[in-house]
Amino acid sequence: MDNNRNLLLAALLSVLLLVGWQFFMTMLYPDMNEPVPSDTQAAAATSGEGATPTSTAQSAGSTEVEATSAAPTGPVDLDKALASPDRVKIDAPRVSGSINLANASIDDLVLKDHRETVDKDSGPVRLLSPAGTPGQYFAEFGFASGGKRLPKGKWTADAQTLTMESPVTLTRNGAGDITYSIKFSIDENYMITAEQSANNGGEAAVIVQPFALIDRTDDNATVDEFLMHSGPIGTFGGDIDEDYSYEDLPQGSGNPYRPAGAINWLGFSDVYWLSALIPENNAGAPAFRKLSNGLYRADIQYDSVTVPAGDAVSQSTRLFAGAKESDVLDAYEDQLSIQQFGLAISWGWFWFLEKPLLWLLTTLFGLIGNFGLAIIGMTFVVRGVLFPIAQKQFASMAAMKAVQPKMKAIQERYKDDKQTQQQKIMELYKEEKVNPLAGCLPLLIQIPIFFALFKVLKLSIAMRHEGFIPGWINDLTAPDPWTFLNLFGLLDFNVAGTLFGIGVLAVLLGVTMWLTFKLNPTAMDPIQQQIFNFMPWVLMFVMAPFMSGLLLYWVTSNILTLAQQKYLYSRHPQLRAQADKDKADQAKKAELEKAKKGEA
């Protein structure tokens, strides 16, 4: 009766797991094919801690810059906006686009090395777009005085194209014979430097306040998840702040969230993309603001500075706008002293495993040229490293089998004294040098490795839109597209990513796991045996919506486990013989119990 009740309970738990899994997946593992971020509206920033003037100008404190600049009155066509002659082209090794001379904003940027979709002809990813377009997302650098922005006016450029070798300087005149300038330069990756200067050519002192901002819409932002943050992010006072989602920010441009501590950098993060402002010498006061109509802003406002007649002031701010490539972010962190810049990728607690796995995966890809084969190769390496532990596991199980008679004798002798029984068994383990937990060690090690691989496959932009077998798996970060419901790709519809979208890899996972359980040398009671019999098929449903690269790793690992078990059984024939005997005894016992029930 107890056995039947336990089996029924296990079955009910499995059903609950299947029913609740889809809801859980929407929180933990949303669709990886989220739209690419784009753009926003404009505005400026907060109050400050102190700029770093390059002259003898004296600080005049700081005031709040007006919340927003003039916004488009209606929808803006992207092609029409980019066709304006009032633009300076950007042509760098990894990005291209243009600077808008109307407001000195970088509102046109595409990433040359990353395409929009799996289709190789889909064109490069557009990261930044002008205000008023469907995907607003841009950076702006400007000046204010007395809390008011400069009146609207066109900037003049000293060159037509910004390149890695040729910086571009924008200039415009202000009231009182003051000349404002912004010198833009760009490196070989995704970093743009803006040096804002104000030169007072008049006869009276003037007050100048530089600011820098990033504005964007959340319409195309990736989902903020428990394991992977998307949204406002930055490092302040040496600590990374990713506690706020877009929805969590306080409402109103005049009601900002001001992170505590000196700013090192701030911006907006998506799964694969990042925009960030990095001020010179940690100067300025940071703020995140929730504007209207789904628009958001991250800004830095520097102190107001009094510029005497004939003097000048300048402030430098870097803008990162590009892909979250781990090696690039780490290089910037080291070379430019940008604290925790590499943590813009949400590696989490197991970063010490994830980064080596990422290095191994990309290294193998460089040798093989196929990420699916690289995952298989990485599985061989991981299992090879863990093989000595597996050997100890089997040796421990063999030793446990050898001491079983002595354990049973102790249990019989002290069956009425559980405390003494446990003490004697522990003494037996120590005397025979047996560790009963050694068999669990490979599983305990595999769990963080599996989780780390999950994070690597999901967060690494190197994996984005990378395939395995053309015509079958074109994107290893997406679920297996060949499922039972579309007759393994013969029908032209895709149900991958759903609970019942059981693909080829999910089936292989269930079959290989069932085979590994069948070869398990540990004797199990009938209830355990029943649970292990249907658990592979439960996991087949549970894992079906996961990315195909993760399933490919698990299937390969199961196949290697089967080969490993075969080999280790050959090294421990007594374990194989004992396991076969135990299973035969269990089968015989089950038949006898069945016969007794039939007679009753």
Side-chain angles (χ1 to χ4, degrees):
M1 180 65 69
D2 289 340
N3 286 349
N4 291 335
R5 183 181 60 192
N6 292 339
L7 183 58
L8 178 60
L9 179 61
L12 287 175
L13 289 175
S14 299
V15 171
L16 288 175
L17 178 63
L18 290 174
V19 172
W21 185 250
Q22 197 68 27
F23 172 76
F24 176 70
M25 288 293 292
T26 60
M27 296 187 294
L28 176 65
Y29 189 80
D31 185 8
M32 284 300 294
N33 296 316
E34 291 283 351
V36 175
S38 275
D39 336 312
T40 324
Q41 190 161 315
T46 65
S47 59
E49 298 174 354
T52 310
T54 57
S55 71
T56 59
Q58 296 178 344
S59 174
S62 61
T63 57
E64 182 78 5
V65 174
E66 60 185 345
T68 59
S69 61
T73 56
V76 176
D77 180 75
L78 177 63
D79 292 336
K80 184 177 179 180
L82 298 184
S84 169
D86 296 332
R87 289 186 170 273
V88 173
K89 292 183 179 178
I90 299 174
D91 187 10
R94 305 195 67 187
V95 300
S96 62
S98 60
I99 302 171
N100 190 347
L101 293 178
N103 54 6
S105 65
I106 301 174
D107 61 359
D108 170 27
L109 200 71
V110 298
L111 312 183
K112 295 180 178 180
D113 298 334
H114 301 282
R115 60 184 186 271
E116 288 276 4
T117 68
V118 175
D119 185 358
K120 295 186 181 297
D121 298 324
S122 60
V125 164
R126 170 164 292 281
L127 186 62
L128 304 182
S129 297
T133 58
Q136 304 178 59
Y137 196 175
F138 61 84
E140 181 182 342
F141 303 88
F143 299 86
S145 182
K148 298 290 185 180
R149 291 168 174 266
L150 294 181
K152 186 176 181 181
K154 179 181 175 181
W155 294 73
T156 301
D158 66 353
Q160 295 182 343
T161 305
L162 170 63
T163 68
M164 184 178 168
E165 295 79 17
S166 303
V168 170
T169 301
L170 310 186
T171 58
R172 63 168 292 185
N173 295 324
D177 292 327
I178 188 167
T179 301
Y180 299 99
S181 66
I182 306 175
K183 181 181 178 181
F184 289 106
S185 57
I186 191 168
D187 69 3
E188 69 276 12
N189 289 307
Y190 306 113
M191 193 70 79
I192 298 172
T193 301
E195 185 178 347
Q196 298 165 255
S197 301
N199 191 316
N200 186 3
E203 297 180 354
V206 295
I207 298 176
V208 173
Q209 188 172 15
F211 66 82
L213 62 90
I214 298 172
D215 273 18
R216 71 162 298 167
T217 177
D218 66 344
D219 287 346
N220 48 15
T222 51
V223 178
D224 185 35
E225 306 175 47
F226 174 70
L227 296 176
M228 278 145 282
H229 174 70
S230 292
I233 191 172
T235 296
F236 312 95
D239 296 322
I240 192 159
D241 186 338
E242 50 183 8
D243 298 333
Y244 280 75
S245 66
Y246 292 107
E247 295 77 12
D248 294 333
L249 291 177
Q251 184 66 49
S253 60
N255 182 30
Y257 164 57
R258 303 179 189 275
I263 177 178
N264 196 257
W265 61 275
L266 88 167
F268 296 110
S269 176
D270 288 276
V271 172
Y272 293 127
W273 324 111
L274 174 70
S275 62
L277 296 171
I278 305 103
E280 182 182 27
N281 298 327
N282 299 348
F288 292 103
R289 306 171 192 263
K290 179 188 288 188
L291 309 178
S292 59
N293 302 321
L295 302 179
Y296 297 84
R297 182 170 78 239
D299 55 59
I300 303 172
Q301 184 169 307
Y302 300 103
D303 271 352
S304 297
V305 177
T306 299
V307 186
D311 210 341
V313 64
S314 68
Q315 173 67 50
S316 181
T317 308
R318 290 187 174 94
L319 167 69
F320 178 94
K324 288 161 59 173
E325 299 167 2
S326 181
D327 55 341
V328 172
L329 296 179
D330 289 344
Y332 282 135
E333 180 175 336
D334 295 337
Q335 296 167 11
L336 303 179
S337 299
I338 307 175
Q339 294 181 26
Q340 299 180 324
F341 205 47
L343 294 184
I345 303 175
S346 300
W347 293 122
W349 296 340
F350 292 107
W351 61 268
F352 58 90
L353 287 176
E354 291 156 12
K355 288 200 170 185
L357 284 178
L358 175 61
W359 174 86
L360 177 59
L361 189 60
T362 53
T363 300
L364 290 173
F365 172 74
L367 297 173
I368 302 172
N370 181 291
F371 261 109
L373 295 177
I375 290 173
I376 294 173
M378 181 184 67
T379 312
F380 272 85
V381 173
V382 170
R383 294 310 300 260
V385 171
L386 297 179
F387 184 72
I389 299 175
Q391 283 184 306
K392 291 183 179 180
Q393 175 197 18
F394 266 70
S396 175
M397 287 189 291
M400 285 293 293
K401 289 292 183 183
V403 300
Q404 283 295 319
K406 294 182 180 180
M407 283 182 59
K408 289 181 179 179
I410 292 173
Q411 290 168 348
E412 282 294 323
R413 184 175 180 180
Y414 300 101
K415 61 182 178 180
D416 297 326
D417 187 352
K418 297 297 182 182
Q419 184 175 354
T420 303
Q421 181 187 109
Q422 290 298 321
Q423 181 181 347
K424 293 296 182 180
I425 289 176
M426 294 305 296
E427 290 175 358
L428 175 64
Y429 288 157
K430 187 175 181 180
E431 180 183 340
E432 298 289 341
K433 297 180 180 180
V434 172
N435 182 2
L437 299 179
C440 302
L441 186 58
L443 177 61
L444 294 177
I445 294 176
Q446 281 281 14
I447 290 173
I449 291 176
F450 185 79
F451 181 77
L453 181 63
F454 168 79
K455 295 289 290 286
V456 166
L457 294 180
K458 189 166 186 181
L459 291 175
S460 171
I461 196 169
M463 290 294 302
R464 181 176 179 265
H465 297 334
E466 289 292 341
F468 177 32
I469 298 177
W472 175 22
I473 298 176
N474 296 318
D475 188 353
L476 286 161
T477 65
D480 187 347
W482 283 13
T483 68
F484 280 105
L485 295 181
N486 66 10
L487 300 182
F488 301 106
L490 293 178
L491 300 180
D492 189 20
F493 68 90
N494 188 5
V495 293
T498 63
L499 183 62
F500 296 100
I502 308 299
V504 174
L505 288 174
V507 174
L508 291 175
L509 175 65
V511 170
T512 54
M513 182 164 288
W514 180 79
L515 290 174
T516 59
F517 286 163
K518 294 293 286 184
L519 281 178
N520 196 314
T522 303
M524 294 177 285
D525 61 47
I527 295 302
Q528 286 180 309
Q529 189 67 49
Q530 291 295 329
I531 292 174
F532 275 79
N533 281 340
F534 64 72
M535 186 56 68
W537 315 117
V538 173
L539 287 174
M540 180 181 71
F541 279 90
V542 168
M543 295 301 299
F546 274 71
M547 62 185 90
S548 53
L550 196 66
L551 268 66
L552 180 61
Y553 167 83
W554 202 344
V555 169
T556 306
S557 181
N558 286 345
I559 292 173
L560 293 178
T561 298
L562 290 170
Q564 174 182 282
Q565 286 177 322
K566 289 286 188 181
Y567 168 75
L568 291 174
Y569 274 138
S570 68
R571 297 288 303 274
H572 300 279
Q574 77 281 8
L575 193 59
R576 172 75 271 177
Q578 184 63 45
D580 291 340
K581 182 179 182 300
D582 289 341
K583 290 178 180 179
D585 291 343
Q586 289 174 1
K588 186 177 180 179
K589 182 179 178 181
E591 290 179 1
L592 291 174
E593 290 180 355
K594 185 177 180 180
K596 288 180 180 180
K597 289 181 180 180
E599 292 175 358

